[in-house]
Each structure stands twice: as C-alpha cells, then as structure tokens.
Amino acid sequence: MRRLSRRKALSLVKELDAFPKVADSYVETSASGGTVSIIAFSAMAVLAILEFFVYRDTWMKYEYEVDKDFSSKLRINVDVTVAMKCQHVGADILDLAETMITSNGLQYEPVIFELSPQQRLWQRTLRLLQSRLREEHALQEVLYKTLLKGAPTALPPREDAPNEPLNACRIHGHAYVNKVAGNLHITVGKPIHHPQGHAHIAAFVSHEAYNFSHRIDHLSFGEEVPGIINPLDGTEKITYNNNQMYQYFITVVPTKLNTHLISADTHQFSVTERERVINHAAGSHGVSGIFVKYDTSSLMVTVSEQHMALGRFLVRLCGIVGGIFSTTGMLHNLVGFCFDIVCCRFRVGAYRPRQVSPVDSVLDMNTPMDELQLNHLNHHQAPLLVGNAPL
Ligand SMILES: *[C@@H]1O[C@H](CO)[C@@H](O)[C@H](O)[C@H]1NC(C)=O
C-alpha cells in the first residue's frame, strides 16, 4: 500500500518536470546557433567578472540624524605655531557657558618659525591634498576607506639641529570643552582668570614683538584619527603688520565613522576665515590675535562602509546568466524568423513578378500550390471568398 502511494507521488513529481529531456537524435545544431552561443557565453563571462568587481567594491553610506548626545565633552586638538616668543603669547578657550578652560592641556614649545626642507615638503603635500579634496569629493571616501590608526599625518620633526634663535612658539595638545559654542584664542600675554571674566596680561610685551603670523599644522575636534585631513591643516598666514587679527569661524559636524578598518567618533568641520588689521584711528577696533570661534551642528552624520551581501551577489549572478541565456535564445529565434520571411518573399517575387495584393502579402508563406489556387480566385474577382478558400 505504502509502496503504491510512493509510486504515485513519484509519478506526480515526474509530471511536474519543467525540463523535459529531448533525445540527442532530435537535437539539431547549426552554425548560427553555435555563434550565438559563443557570443552569449562570452557576454556572460564578462558580465560575471564585472559583477564580481562590483561585489568586491565598497561604498560609503551617509546618514543624517539629530545629535542626541548633549552631555559629553568635545575634545579640541590643536597644533599651531605663532611667530612670537612663548612668554609673550597665551592660548585659552572660553565658551558660552562662561567657563574658561585653562590651557592646561596645551603645551608651549619654543621653536623656529621657518620649516626645515623636509617639513616644507610635508606641508606642500598636505596643501596639495587639501586643494584636491576641495575639487574631488570622492577623494574623501578614499581617505576614509584607507584610514588606519597610527598612520603618521602629523608634522615630522626637524631633521637638522636648530642653530637659529627660537623665535616662535608652538602651542599643541588637546583640551576638553563643553558642547556649546566657544572661542579659542591666542593673544598676547598670559591669560588670568578673575570673577568678572578673564584678561590677558600684556603690559610687558613691546608692540614691536607682536607678530601673529602663524601656521596651523593640525586643528581637529573629537577623537584624533591619523589620516583624516582637516580643512585648516597646512594653513600658513604671514603678516607684515604687528596688529593683525585672524578669525576663523568653524561649524563642527559630529561624524561617526564605521569602515571595515576602524570605527571612530570624529568631527568634520566647515570654516570661513577673515583677517583684518587693527587700527583704532581708522575705525577698525578689536584685539590683535588669532581667534577660532566654533559651534557644533545639531545634525550628526554617520558614514558607514557598505558592501554587497553574498546572497545578493549570487542572485544577480543567476540573473545575468539566465537572462542572457534566454534573451539570446529569443533573439536568435526572432532573427531566424525574420530572415525566413525576407528570404521567402524575395524568392517568390523573383520568380513570379506581379502586383502584390494585400491578400498575397498575408499568405506569402504558403506553399506554391496554395498560391496558384489563390491566383485563380483573384482572377475570378472573388476576393471576399479568399478567407474561406480551402487552404
Ligand atoms: C612675522 O614673522 C614672519 C616670519 O618670521 C615674518 O616673515 C614677518 O615679516 C613678521 N612680521 C612682522 C610684522 O614682524
């Protein structure tokens, strides 16, 4: 009994076979079919290889959302060299919450303002990259993808022993600030904090010593990821006026970065800059110095590296192979059909020249026997009967 039902099931499955086998003796091969097959298989191979490259490739996906992280601190990384002696300048950060972040985390290091040849080369490369980045936005993605923790992007140390006087001051390090708008400034004199605010003691610095020519080797916000090039890195400003004021207005955009190499909380920023000469007599008031005003954006960007899933790749591969296979088969049949039509009509017209009536053109593919009959009918002026003619 069980065996019987099993046999039934088997025969049912057999009937469902969508791939009926044709005995080899019924299969006919032709030269045109062979050519089409070769073309089809080459197309399949080429497309499959290209698809494989697409599968291997990755792309960046950008998502925007409101930044809900309002309590954490923002880290500022600074590396600025000012053309003044260290005892004459001071850097500090003031924010909207009226807290002064003393420059405890910032170190002052006497250096030479002029770069050594190797450092110049580094700076020139950085500037070239900056200008390219402004034109080619896709370059940013390449940089993101190749980021590696520990890759050196900082200014290399001097290769020669300094024999000139140390005329400049390098201010570098990092500080943690509240996530509100603030102002990092570098001006004459050391900052002091008192209950009403803060001031810079500048009484002992002669006016001729003022020189706010500066170089920004690095300025970034958030986690420091070597390899990311920030908009102000490589900036160099030279002034011939003692009372120069430089302002940088920065909007910081928190950016979460997830690539297959690293995942980091960084910050991108956009910057506009302004500079002017302080001249109270000419109505240009202010304090000479370098002022970096920053504000954080309420939007957060998540940049993540995406790639095609293996299942999707296989499905697309099947689509390519099957699609080409059936499409070329259909095209081959269609071309053959058209060829037959053209060829037959040509042959008929050649050996029996006459006016082609609509009826003839419809029935062109009939055997000559039928056509003779039709001609006969035409002669007897009974075209309406043609449809009923015994074909
Ligand atoms: C400031 O220093 C730079 C670099 O050493 C120099 O080229 C420039 O002339 C100086 N400017 C003033 C006003 O002294």
Side-chain angles (χ1 to χ4, degrees):
M1 193 65 193
R2 255 185 81 200
R3 254 181 92 176
L4 205 71
S5 65
R6 225 173 93 186
R7 196 175 293 163
K8 249 187 187 165
L10 204 69
S11 70
L12 192 71
V13 171
K14 240 180 181 172
E15 269 175 37
L16 287 176
D17 186 4
F19 311 100
K21 315 289 172 293
V22 179
D24 277 351
S25 50
Y26 293 112
V27 178
E28 197 185 331
T29 56
S30 66
S32 68
T35 318
V36 170
S37 304
I38 290 172
I39 292 171
F41 285 125
S42 328
M44 272 178 214
V46 169
L47 285 183
I49 290 168
L50 291 181
E51 191 64 22
F52 179 69
F53 283 125
V54 174
Y55 168 67
R56 287 294 309 275
D57 199 17
T58 58
W59 62 92
M60 290 299 188
K61 191 172 155 208
Y62 295 83
E63 286 165 304
Y64 303 87
E65 55 182 303
V66 173
D67 187 8
K68 294 189 195 75
D69 178 12
F70 45 79
S71 57
S72 67
K73 294 268 184 181
L74 178 65
R75 179 181 155 144
I76 304 185
N77 310 297
V78 189
D79 189 349
V80 179
T81 304
V82 187
M84 280 172 83
K85 288 209 159 57
C86 277
Q87 62 263 36
H88 294 162
V89 286
D92 61 309
I93 302 163
L94 257 168
D95 66 22
L96 275 186
E98 300 293 333
T99 40
M100 188 186 120
I101 290 95
T102 41
S103 39
N104 281 343
L106 302 180
Q107 280 121 45
Y108 295 75
E109 185 188 330
V111 289
I112 301 169
F113 192 74
E114 281 307 311
L115 289 173
S116 67
Q118 209 176 341
Q119 286 175 322
R120 271 270 163 245
L121 190 70
W122 173 85
Q123 198 196 30
R124 216 171 297 143
T125 315
L126 189 61
R127 289 233 198 113
L128 193 72
L129 259 173
Q130 291 277 26
S131 64
R132 286 275 194 285
L133 267 175
R134 253 165 243 144
E135 291 160 15
E136 299 268 355
H137 295 278
L139 192 56
Q140 184 67 54
E141 296 199 352
V142 177
L143 281 181
Y144 277 155
K145 280 185 204 171
T146 52
L147 280 188
L148 266 177
K149 275 192 171 148
T153 42
L155 182 73
R158 285 191 94 83
E159 67 274 14
D160 51 356
N163 45 14
E164 298 163 56
L166 303 172
N167 57 357
C169 185
R170 176 177 171 214
I171 301 167
H172 63 110
H174 64 266
Y176 285 93
V177 297
N178 299 312
K179 240 178 151 178
V180 290
N183 185 349
L184 158 78
H185 51 264
I186 300 172
T187 48
V188 178
K190 295 294 171 201
I192 56 155
H193 201 204
H194 59 84
Q196 271 81 44
H198 96 289
H200 285 253
I201 301 295
F204 315 112
V205 185
S206 100
H207 216 252
E208 276 70 58
Y210 284 25
N211 187 346
F212 285 103
S213 303
H214 63 283
R215 212 176 51 231
I216 302 177
D217 293 323
H218 182 83
L219 182 75
S220 70
F221 296 84
E223 206 177 313
E224 213 173 340
V225 185
I228 288 188
I229 294 172
N230 295 284
L232 281 176
D233 296 2
T235 308
E236 188 173 80
K237 300 272 162 144
I238 303 288
T239 175
Y240 300 104
N241 196 300
N242 295 117
N243 287 315
Q244 188 87 12
M245 178 197 224
Y246 291 100
Q247 287 172 307
Y248 296 98
F249 301 93
I250 291 179
T251 306
V252 182
V253 184
T255 308
K256 271 203 169 69
L257 192 63
N258 291 311
T259 69
H260 69 278
L261 289 175
I262 66 161
S263 115
D265 274 337
T266 67
H267 291 72
Q268 292 173 285
F269 61 85
S270 65
V271 60
T272 38
E273 51 185 74
R274 231 176 85 87
E275 58 186 86
R276 65 189 159 99
V277 174
I278 302 297
N279 187 342
H280 294 286
S284 173
H285 301 293
V287 182
S288 44
I290 301 158
F291 299 85
V292 180
K293 289 203 164 84
Y294 61 86
D295 198 355
T296 50
S297 153
S298 51
L299 275 185
M300 189 176 77
V301 186
T302 309
V303 186
S304 39
E305 192 172 6
Q306 308 271 313
H307 74 97
M308 201 191 283
L310 180 65
R312 214 184 133 146
F313 170 62
L314 292 179
V315 167
R316 286 173 68 124
L317 217 56
C318 290
I320 288 174
V321 172
I324 291 184
F325 193 78
S326 54
T327 312
T328 45
M330 279 183 331
L331 277 178
H332 184 214
N333 288 347
L334 187 73
V335 169
F337 180 68
C338 294
F339 187 76
D340 279 353
I341 289 178
V342 170
C343 151
C344 286
R345 169 180 287 183
F346 183 72
R347 207 181 60 217
V348 168
Y351 92 103
R352 197 158 42 80
R354 64 181 164 98
Q355 263 183 318
V356 179
S357 74
V359 175
D360 284 337
S361 69
V362 169
L363 297 167
D364 252 353
M365 288 187 61
N366 287 320
T367 57
M369 178 64 183
D370 288 332
E371 285 183 28
L372 278 176
Q373 275 182 356
L374 281 172
N375 266 355
H376 184 68
L377 281 170
N378 273 344
H379 256 290
H380 287 91
Q381 318 261 302
L384 282 176
L385 272 174
V386 167
N388 296 329
L391 296 171

